[in-house]
Amino acid sequence: RRDAVGRTLERLVFRELFEFHFMQTDPNFANYLIEPETDRIALLDLGSARAFDPEFCERYARIVRATLTGDRRALRAAAVAIGYLDENEREDRARGVEDLILLICEPLRHAGVYDFGRSRIPSRTRDLGFDLAFRKGFLRPPPPETVFLHRKLVGSFLLCARIRARVDVNALIGPVKDRVKAATGRELAVRGGARLALSMQPRLVLTDVALANAPWGTAKDMVTAERLELALALLPLLSRRFELT
């Protein structure tokens, strides 16, 4: 059950930021109520709720996409756009900020189950932050609009660590990639992540998708899409089977 709760917590954070553009930014343990029958999570206190401008959310999505692909050039451009870096920042400092972002996003980049309870991200982040500030002299504060978001991200991580949740985000993407490769012989890249939209007709929503071209093709990708929605069979989901329709 703790793993199911952890998945819900992580999914909630991303839906709040990228779908709702509205976030409850105080992740105090007492602000969550778990419904035991469904493992759904209710938010009890919206006193610190905050709306985010869609443009800000898109800038943050660029950071997420860059970390998922390991594209440092795109990551630096996104960090400058959101205000983490100045475009003329000293190279060692800019590289240090990139390293810090990649470290913080480790659960997103991890292949397979990520064990929040065993993670050393808090201590590693502290050490890297001290190095940036005291050895490299990087003292730029984060943009004001990110402060509440950071509180939610850090608090959600600590909550997952407290309940020792193990979450595998890539498990949603794997079956889709396998099915596409079996049908086409080509790799499917999902750079922006995946989420499950539950309803009477459940959907798997993929973002920033690319289908590799044939070896003889001139372009790297045959098809790219900002968003791809795949329908899922409802009854197999109730038995914990994942079937595309």
Side-chain angles (χ1 to χ4, degrees):
R1 168 165 288 178
R2 67 185 64 195
D3 294 343
V5 171
R7 284 193 298 271
T8 303
L9 285 170
E10 290 300 295
R11 185 166 58 245
L12 174 63
V13 170
F14 287 96
R15 293 194 70 187
E16 285 179 309
L17 181 58
F18 298 125
E19 183 178 347
F20 307 144
H21 303 158
F22 184 84
M23 179 176 282
Q24 195 269 47
T25 64
D26 183 7
N28 186 297
F29 289 10
N31 287 341
Y32 297 97
L33 177 65
I34 299 173
E35 299 178 354
E37 297 80 8
T38 62
D39 284 333
R40 292 194 306 177
I41 294 179
L43 300 177
L44 301 181
D45 183 1
L46 295 179
S48 62
R50 183 180 179 89
F52 290 105
D53 186 273
E55 185 177 343
F56 167 81
C57 297
E58 173 54 32
R59 290 198 299 268
Y60 216 88
R62 293 175 201 160
I63 287 183
V64 173
R65 287 195 290 267
T67 60
L68 287 172
T69 58
D71 187 340
R72 281 185 174 267
R73 179 176 295 181
L75 178 58
R76 184 172 301 192
V80 169
I82 210 166
Y84 287 136
L85 280 172
D86 183 87
E87 60 182 348
N88 298 314
E89 187 58 74
R90 208 171 72 190
E91 178 61 26
D92 62 331
R93 294 174 179 169
R95 188 80 177 183
V97 171
E98 292 172 17
D99 290 340
L100 186 60
I101 294 173
L102 289 171
L103 173 58
I104 292 169
C105 292
E106 182 180 83
L108 296 176
R109 304 170 62 231
H110 183 78
V113 172
Y114 188 84
D115 192 334
F116 282 85
R118 293 180 177 272
S119 175
R120 294 182 56 250
I121 283 183
S123 60
R124 291 163 61 200
T125 301
R126 178 201 62 209
D127 293 343
L128 196 54
F130 282 170
D131 182 72
L132 259 175
F134 297 114
R135 193 168 72 84
K136 295 184 173 71
F138 183 80
L139 302 176
R140 183 185 181 92
E145 61 266 32
T146 68
V147 172
F148 291 99
L149 173 59
H150 291 171
R151 180 171 70 169
K152 178 60 173 269
L153 295 177
V154 172
S156 297
F157 177 93
L158 294 176
L159 182 53
C160 286
R162 179 66 178 270
I163 65 175
R164 301 190 300 280
R166 297 171 299 170
V167 181
D168 183 1
V169 178
N170 286 326
L172 290 175
I173 305 175
V176 177
K177 291 182 177 179
D178 294 342
R179 183 164 174 174
V180 169
K181 188 170 184 178
T184 67
R186 301 173 188 178
E187 297 288 344
L188 179 71
V190 183
R191 305 179 183 122
R195 67 177 179 83
L196 188 62
L198 295 177
S199 66
M200 290 304 294
Q201 177 58 72
R203 292 168 292 116
L204 181 61
V205 182
L206 311 178
T207 55
D208 195 6
V209 179
L211 179 65
N213 209 342
W216 42 262
T218 56
K220 178 182 178 182
D221 298 320
M222 185 179 76
V223 177
T224 60
E226 292 184 2
R227 179 185 176 98
L228 179 64
E229 295 191 11
L230 304 173
L232 303 176
L234 178 59
L235 290 180
L237 276 181
L238 300 179
S239 301
R240 299 189 177 185
R241 297 201 320 275
F242 186 86
E243 294 183 10
L244 299 175
T245 61

PDB file of all heavy atoms in Angstrom, residues 225-245:
ATOM      1  N   ALA A 225       5.661  14.046 -31.651  1.00  0.00           N
ATOM      2  CA  ALA A 225       4.374  14.574 -31.176  1.00  0.00           C
ATOM      3  C   ALA A 225       4.564  15.175 -29.794  1.00  0.00           C
ATOM      4  O   ALA A 225       5.295  14.620 -28.960  1.00  0.00           O
ATOM      5  CB  ALA A 225       3.321  13.476 -31.125  1.00  0.00           C
ATOM      6  N   GLU A 226       3.941  16.305 -29.563  1.00  0.00           N
ATOM      7  CA  GLU A 226       3.999  16.920 -28.241  1.00  0.00           C
ATOM      8  C   GLU A 226       3.189  16.120 -27.229  1.00  0.00           C
ATOM      9  O   GLU A 226       3.535  16.056 -26.051  1.00  0.00           O
ATOM     10  CB  GLU A 226       3.479  18.357 -28.287  1.00  0.00           C
ATOM     11  CG  GLU A 226       4.365  19.316 -29.071  1.00  0.00           C
ATOM     12  CD  GLU A 226       3.859  20.739 -28.991  1.00  0.00           C
ATOM     13  OE1 GLU A 226       2.838  20.967 -28.288  1.00  0.00           O
ATOM     14  OE2 GLU A 226       4.469  21.625 -29.621  1.00  0.00           O
ATOM     15  N   ARG A 227       2.107  15.481 -27.699  1.00  0.00           N
ATOM     16  CA  ARG A 227       1.211  14.748 -26.792  1.00  0.00           C
ATOM     17  C   ARG A 227       0.586  13.568 -27.529  1.00  0.00           C
ATOM     18  O   ARG A 227       0.181  13.703 -28.688  1.00  0.00           O
ATOM     19  CB  ARG A 227       0.115  15.694 -26.284  1.00  0.00           C
ATOM     20  CG  ARG A 227      -0.920  15.072 -25.348  1.00  0.00           C
ATOM     21  CD  ARG A 227      -2.002  16.094 -25.046  1.00  0.00           C
ATOM     22  NE  ARG A 227      -3.083  15.561 -24.243  1.00  0.00           N
ATOM     23  CZ  ARG A 227      -3.182  15.719 -22.924  1.00  0.00           C
ATOM     24  NH1 ARG A 227      -2.266  16.395 -22.284  1.00  0.00           N
ATOM     25  NH2 ARG A 227      -4.202  15.213 -22.258  1.00  0.00           N
ATOM     26  N   LEU A 228       0.544  12.419 -26.878  1.00  0.00           N
ATOM     27  CA  LEU A 228      -0.042  11.219 -27.455  1.00  0.00           C
ATOM     28  C   LEU A 228      -0.894  10.540 -26.392  1.00  0.00           C
ATOM     29  O   LEU A 228      -0.430  10.291 -25.282  1.00  0.00           O
ATOM     30  CB  LEU A 228       1.064  10.271 -27.936  1.00  0.00           C
ATOM     31  CG  LEU A 228       0.622   8.951 -28.561  1.00  0.00           C
ATOM     32  CD1 LEU A 228      -0.154   9.206 -29.846  1.00  0.00           C
ATOM     33  CD2 LEU A 228       1.837   8.071 -28.840  1.00  0.00           C
ATOM     34  N   GLU A 229      -2.159  10.262 -26.723  1.00  0.00           N
ATOM     35  CA  GLU A 229      -3.063   9.607 -25.782  1.00  0.00           C
ATOM     36  C   GLU A 229      -3.422   8.219 -26.304  1.00  0.00           C
ATOM     37  O   GLU A 229      -3.810   8.059 -27.465  1.00  0.00           O
ATOM     38  CB  GLU A 229      -4.335  10.443 -25.584  1.00  0.00           C
ATOM     39  CG  GLU A 229      -4.077  11.790 -24.927  1.00  0.00           C
ATOM     40  CD  GLU A 229      -5.357  12.480 -24.501  1.00  0.00           C
ATOM     41  OE1 GLU A 229      -6.414  11.827 -24.533  1.00  0.00           O
ATOM     42  OE2 GLU A 229      -5.288  13.670 -24.131  1.00  0.00           O
ATOM     43  N   LEU A 230      -3.278   7.209 -25.426  1.00  0.00           N
ATOM     44  CA  LEU A 230      -3.569   5.829 -25.780  1.00  0.00           C
ATOM     45  C   LEU A 230      -4.682   5.312 -24.877  1.00  0.00           C
ATOM     46  O   LEU A 230      -4.625   5.482 -23.654  1.00  0.00           O
ATOM     47  CB  LEU A 230      -2.317   4.968 -25.620  1.00  0.00           C
ATOM     48  CG  LEU A 230      -1.083   5.442 -26.405  1.00  0.00           C
ATOM     49  CD1 LEU A 230       0.128   4.606 -26.014  1.00  0.00           C
ATOM     50  CD2 LEU A 230      -1.331   5.339 -27.894  1.00  0.00           C
ATOM     51  N   ALA A 231      -5.686   4.683 -25.475  1.00  0.00           N
ATOM     52  CA  ALA A 231      -6.799   4.148 -24.694  1.00  0.00           C
ATOM     53  C   ALA A 231      -6.401   2.819 -24.061  1.00  0.00           C
ATOM     54  O   ALA A 231      -5.689   2.003 -24.659  1.00  0.00           O
ATOM     55  CB  ALA A 231      -8.014   3.959 -25.593  1.00  0.00           C
ATOM     56  N   LEU A 232      -6.866   2.606 -22.828  1.00  0.00           N
ATOM     57  CA  LEU A 232      -6.588   1.379 -22.097  1.00  0.00           C
ATOM     58  C   LEU A 232      -7.893   0.617 -21.867  1.00  0.00           C
ATOM     59  O   LEU A 232      -8.951   1.228 -21.670  1.00  0.00           O
ATOM     60  CB  LEU A 232      -5.945   1.695 -20.740  1.00  0.00           C
ATOM     61  CG  LEU A 232      -4.656   2.512 -20.756  1.00  0.00           C
ATOM     62  CD1 LEU A 232      -4.225   2.810 -19.322  1.00  0.00           C
ATOM     63  CD2 LEU A 232      -3.561   1.778 -21.485  1.00  0.00           C
ATOM     64  N   ALA A 233      -7.797  -0.696 -21.898  1.00  0.00           N
ATOM     65  CA  ALA A 233      -8.965  -1.519 -21.587  1.00  0.00           C
ATOM     66  C   ALA A 233      -9.244  -1.436 -20.085  1.00  0.00           C
ATOM     67  O   ALA A 233      -8.348  -1.643 -19.265  1.00  0.00           O
ATOM     68  CB  ALA A 233      -8.713  -2.963 -22.006  1.00  0.00           C
ATOM     69  N   LEU A 234     -10.496  -1.120 -19.735  1.00  0.00           N
ATOM     70  CA  LEU A 234     -10.841  -0.886 -18.340  1.00  0.00           C
ATOM     71  C   LEU A 234     -10.818  -2.171 -17.501  1.00  0.00           C
ATOM     72  O   LEU A 234     -10.211  -2.213 -16.432  1.00  0.00           O
ATOM     73  CB  LEU A 234     -12.225  -0.231 -18.243  1.00  0.00           C
ATOM     74  CG  LEU A 234     -12.743   0.045 -16.830  1.00  0.00           C
ATOM     75  CD1 LEU A 234     -11.791   0.957 -16.069  1.00  0.00           C
ATOM     76  CD2 LEU A 234     -14.136   0.655 -16.886  1.00  0.00           C
ATOM     77  N   LEU A 235     -11.468  -3.229 -17.965  1.00  0.00           N
ATOM     78  CA  LEU A 235     -11.579  -4.444 -17.146  1.00  0.00           C
ATOM     79  C   LEU A 235     -10.220  -5.062 -16.806  1.00  0.00           C
ATOM     80  O   LEU A 235      -9.998  -5.447 -15.653  1.00  0.00           O
ATOM     81  CB  LEU A 235     -12.481  -5.457 -17.849  1.00  0.00           C
ATOM     82  CG  LEU A 235     -13.966  -5.073 -17.909  1.00  0.00           C
ATOM     83  CD1 LEU A 235     -14.760  -6.152 -18.624  1.00  0.00           C
ATOM     84  CD2 LEU A 235     -14.524  -4.844 -16.508  1.00  0.00           C
ATOM     85  N   PRO A 236      -9.274  -5.173 -17.745  1.00  0.00           N
ATOM     86  CA  PRO A 236      -7.963  -5.708 -17.370  1.00  0.00           C
ATOM     87  C   PRO A 236      -7.264  -4.872 -16.301  1.00  0.00           C
ATOM     88  O   PRO A 236      -6.530  -5.415 -15.463  1.00  0.00           O
ATOM     89  CB  PRO A 236      -7.186  -5.687 -18.687  1.00  0.00           C
ATOM     90  CG  PRO A 236      -8.231  -5.797 -19.740  1.00  0.00           C
ATOM     91  CD  PRO A 236      -9.387  -5.016 -19.197  1.00  0.00           C
ATOM     92  N   LEU A 237      -7.480  -3.540 -16.310  1.00  0.00           N
ATOM     93  CA  LEU A 237      -6.863  -2.696 -15.279  1.00  0.00           C
ATOM     94  C   LEU A 237      -7.334  -3.092 -13.889  1.00  0.00           C
ATOM     95  O   LEU A 237      -6.571  -3.032 -12.917  1.00  0.00           O
ATOM     96  CB  LEU A 237      -7.192  -1.217 -15.529  1.00  0.00           C
ATOM     97  CG  LEU A 237      -6.311  -0.452 -16.508  1.00  0.00           C
ATOM     98  CD1 LEU A 237      -6.791   0.994 -16.599  1.00  0.00           C
ATOM     99  CD2 LEU A 237      -4.855  -0.497 -16.107  1.00  0.00           C
ATOM    100  N   LEU A 238      -8.581  -3.499 -13.782  1.00  0.00           N
ATOM    101  CA  LEU A 238      -9.110  -3.903 -12.480  1.00  0.00           C
ATOM    102  C   LEU A 238      -8.416  -5.145 -11.967  1.00  0.00           C
ATOM    103  O   LEU A 238      -8.407  -5.407 -10.759  1.00  0.00           O
ATOM    104  CB  LEU A 238     -10.618  -4.144 -12.590  1.00  0.00           C
ATOM    105  CG  LEU A 238     -11.457  -2.935 -13.038  1.00  0.00           C
ATOM    106  CD1 LEU A 238     -12.929  -3.316 -13.132  1.00  0.00           C
ATOM    107  CD2 LEU A 238     -11.264  -1.759 -12.101  1.00  0.00           C
ATOM    108  N   SER A 239      -7.821  -5.917 -12.865  1.00  0.00           N
ATOM    109  CA  SER A 239      -7.056  -7.103 -12.486  1.00  0.00           C
ATOM    110  C   SER A 239      -5.557  -6.840 -12.542  1.00  0.00           C
ATOM    111  O   SER A 239      -4.758  -7.760 -12.578  1.00  0.00           O
ATOM    112  CB  SER A 239      -7.407  -8.271 -13.426  1.00  0.00           C
ATOM    113  OG  SER A 239      -8.777  -8.559 -13.379  1.00  0.00           O
ATOM    114  N   ARG A 240      -5.194  -5.541 -12.627  1.00  0.00           N
ATOM    115  CA  ARG A 240      -3.804  -5.109 -12.664  1.00  0.00           C
ATOM    116  C   ARG A 240      -3.074  -5.580 -13.919  1.00  0.00           C
ATOM    117  O   ARG A 240      -1.890  -5.876 -13.906  1.00  0.00           O
ATOM    118  CB  ARG A 240      -3.046  -5.562 -11.393  1.00  0.00           C
ATOM    119  CG  ARG A 240      -3.628  -4.989 -10.113  1.00  0.00           C
ATOM    120  CD  ARG A 240      -2.753  -5.267  -8.924  1.00  0.00           C
ATOM    121  NE  ARG A 240      -3.303  -4.639  -7.737  1.00  0.00           N
ATOM    122  CZ  ARG A 240      -2.707  -4.624  -6.545  1.00  0.00           C
ATOM    123  NH1 ARG A 240      -1.529  -5.198  -6.407  1.00  0.00           N
ATOM    124  NH2 ARG A 240      -3.276  -4.036  -5.511  1.00  0.00           N
ATOM    125  N   ARG A 241      -3.837  -5.684 -15.040  1.00  0.00           N
ATOM    126  CA  ARG A 241      -3.221  -5.981 -16.329  1.00  0.00           C
ATOM    127  C   ARG A 241      -3.333  -4.733 -17.197  1.00  0.00           C
ATOM    128  O   ARG A 241      -4.317  -4.002 -17.157  1.00  0.00           O
ATOM    129  CB  ARG A 241      -3.914  -7.160 -17.024  1.00  0.00           C
ATOM    130  CG  ARG A 241      -3.800  -8.462 -16.271  1.00  0.00           C
ATOM    131  CD  ARG A 241      -4.019  -9.658 -17.189  1.00  0.00           C
ATOM    132  NE  ARG A 241      -5.077  -9.468 -18.165  1.00  0.00           N
ATOM    133  CZ  ARG A 241      -6.369  -9.697 -17.941  1.00  0.00           C
ATOM    134  NH1 ARG A 241      -6.778 -10.095 -16.747  1.00  0.00           N
ATOM    135  NH2 ARG A 241      -7.268  -9.514 -18.889  1.00  0.00           N
ATOM    136  N   PHE A 242      -2.292  -4.523 -17.973  1.00  0.00           N
ATOM    137  CA  PHE A 242      -2.127  -3.290 -18.749  1.00  0.00           C
ATOM    138  C   PHE A 242      -2.308  -3.636 -20.222  1.00  0.00           C
ATOM    139  O   PHE A 242      -1.434  -4.237 -20.820  1.00  0.00           O
ATOM    140  CB  PHE A 242      -0.720  -2.742 -18.474  1.00  0.00           C
ATOM    141  CG  PHE A 242      -0.437  -1.408 -19.071  1.00  0.00           C
ATOM    142  CD1 PHE A 242      -0.783  -0.239 -18.410  1.00  0.00           C
ATOM    143  CD2 PHE A 242       0.200  -1.303 -20.302  1.00  0.00           C
ATOM    144  CE1 PHE A 242      -0.485   0.986 -18.950  1.00  0.00           C
ATOM    145  CE2 PHE A 242       0.486  -0.077 -20.860  1.00  0.00           C
ATOM    146  CZ  PHE A 242       0.141   1.082 -20.186  1.00  0.00           C
ATOM    147  N   GLU A 243      -3.501  -3.298 -20.808  1.00  0.00           N
ATOM    148  CA  GLU A 243      -3.775  -3.653 -22.187  1.00  0.00           C
ATOM    149  C   GLU A 243      -4.218  -2.403 -22.960  1.00  0.00           C
ATOM    150  O   GLU A 243      -5.162  -1.726 -22.563  1.00  0.00           O
ATOM    151  CB  GLU A 243      -4.861  -4.727 -22.280  1.00  0.00           C
ATOM    152  CG  GLU A 243      -4.454  -6.064 -21.694  1.00  0.00           C
ATOM    153  CD  GLU A 243      -5.529  -7.121 -21.862  1.00  0.00           C
ATOM    154  OE1 GLU A 243      -6.510  -6.851 -22.601  1.00  0.00           O
ATOM    155  OE2 GLU A 243      -5.387  -8.200 -21.263  1.00  0.00           O
ATOM    156  N   LEU A 244      -3.520  -2.159 -24.071  1.00  0.00           N
ATOM    157  CA  LEU A 244      -3.905  -1.060 -24.948  1.00  0.00           C
ATOM    158  C   LEU A 244      -5.034  -1.509 -25.849  1.00  0.00           C
ATOM    159  O   LEU A 244      -5.097  -2.670 -26.262  1.00  0.00           O
ATOM    160  CB  LEU A 244      -2.709  -0.615 -25.799  1.00  0.00           C
ATOM    161  CG  LEU A 244      -1.498  -0.088 -25.040  1.00  0.00           C
ATOM    162  CD1 LEU A 244      -0.367   0.183 -26.005  1.00  0.00           C
ATOM    163  CD2 LEU A 244      -1.855   1.178 -24.278  1.00  0.00           C
ATOM    164  N   THR A 245      -5.937  -0.574 -26.185  1.00  0.00           N
ATOM    165  CA  THR A 245      -7.044  -0.906 -27.088  1.00  0.00           C
ATOM    166  C   THR A 245      -6.919  -0.104 -28.371  1.00  0.00           C
ATOM    167  O   THR A 245      -6.117   0.801 -28.477  1.00  0.00           O
ATOM    168  CB  THR A 245      -8.396  -0.612 -26.424  1.00  0.00           C
ATOM    169  OG1 THR A 245      -8.474   0.796 -26.113  1.00  0.00           O
ATOM    170  CG2 THR A 245      -8.559  -1.400 -25.157  1.00  0.00           C
TER     171      THR A 245
END
